[in-house]
Amino acid sequence: MEEMATGFRFFPTEEELISFYLHNMLELEEDKTSNIHRVIPILDIYRLDPWQLPSHCGELCHGDMEQWFFFMPRQERELLGGRPSRTTASGYWKATGSPSYVYSSENKVIGVKKSMVFYEGKAPTGRKTKWKMNEYRAIKEDLTTSMPMLRHEMCLCRVYVVSGSSRAFDRRPTRVAETSSSAGCGDELRVMQG
């Protein structure tokens, strides 16, 4: 197994996760994505409890103790028009807050992020844990309607444990965050569910 040099680690921005990794997984043929799988594997993360996920991360990210990344294919029940099942053997992932847009460095909406917390036990009486996940979905511009479409074939998940102190990916400043927070209410972009 190839390892990264000391001091190097996989440290992508949200823009890189969506614009490079997720878009390439959605657009490239399977035989051209093998290098991406070495960093971010395809895994049905809801078949495992969150503390089992670090051992399934990409081979180039095994030493990372802060965050783990996975591609999650669309579930069969979603294909039939239902909601995804986010339950595991010992608990469930629960969405927190509203989904938010992810912006490119050009201040263009490129995806949607949904944040979740893992609860042990059965809903609605589960016990909140320190495990969190950000689920990213890409947006594809529909040139016929000029309305962006949310892509559901696959999402990219960042799984991490709340540590009580800011991690590097929490502290990373984003120029877009500053500009998007100053945008007016009329600047919102509607995304069609496809």
Side-chain angles (χ1 to χ4, degrees):
M1 171 172 68
E2 181 183 329
E3 293 195 21
M4 287 191 262
T6 303
F8 286 89
R9 60 181 274 216
F10 185 57
F11 194 77
T13 62
E14 290 182 332
E15 178 179 8
E16 291 164 342
L17 287 173
I18 293 173
S19 295
F20 181 78
Y21 292 98
L22 186 52
H23 273 287
N24 279 326
M25 278 301 295
L26 292 167
E27 303 298 332
L28 294 176
E29 293 90 44
E30 191 170 328
D31 62 328
K32 295 182 180 174
T33 60
S34 61
N35 281 335
I36 293 175
H37 291 224
R38 295 180 67 208
V39 179
I40 306 175
I42 296 175
L43 183 68
D44 182 353
I45 61 175
Y46 302 123
R47 292 181 186 245
L48 300 168
D49 289 317
W51 45 88
Q52 296 171 310
L53 294 174
S55 65
H56 293 273
C57 70
E59 67 181 81
L60 294 179
C61 297
H62 272 286
D64 197 332
M65 301 307 295
E66 285 189 358
Q67 57 185 341
W68 306 273
F69 300 89
F70 303 96
F71 289 113
M72 172 72 182
R74 190 175 194 180
Q75 295 177 350
E76 188 173 332
R77 65 189 293 166
E78 286 180 277
L79 291 171
L80 301 173
R83 294 175 55 169
S85 172
R86 294 193 172 103
T87 58
T88 70
S90 66
Y92 58 97
W93 290 96
K94 181 178 177 183
T96 61
S98 299
S100 60
Y101 293 126
V102 177
Y103 294 88
S104 70
S105 53
E106 290 86 37
N107 207 23
K108 180 180 175 188
V109 175
I110 57 170
V112 174
K113 174 175 78 171
K114 182 181 290 188
S115 298
M116 291 179 247
V117 175
F118 186 75
Y119 286 76
E120 281 187 288
K122 298 215 181 278
T125 59
R127 184 180 56 83
K128 188 176 181 179
T129 69
K130 292 187 173 199
W131 287 91
K132 289 198 170 194
M133 174 171 51
N134 294 333
E135 179 185 272
Y136 299 95
R137 293 195 186 269
I139 290 178
K140 178 179 182 182
E141 299 247 2
D142 185 350
L143 300 176
T144 59
T145 65
S146 73
M147 180 66 80
M149 299 290 291
L150 193 57
R151 304 221 25 203
H152 292 283
E153 309 94 291
M154 184 173 295
C155 65
L156 193 156
C157 299
R158 178 197 314 248
V159 179
Y160 58 100
V161 178
V162 175
S163 65
S165 64
S166 291
R167 289 170 303 281
F169 71 85
D170 291 330
R171 293 188 308 265
R172 187 175 227 176
T174 57
R175 191 174 68 69
V176 174
E178 296 162 7
T179 57
S180 65
S181 65
S182 63
C185 296
D187 296 338
E188 291 182 9
L189 175 68
R190 294 180 55 107
V191 177
M192 291 178 63
Q193 298 286 328

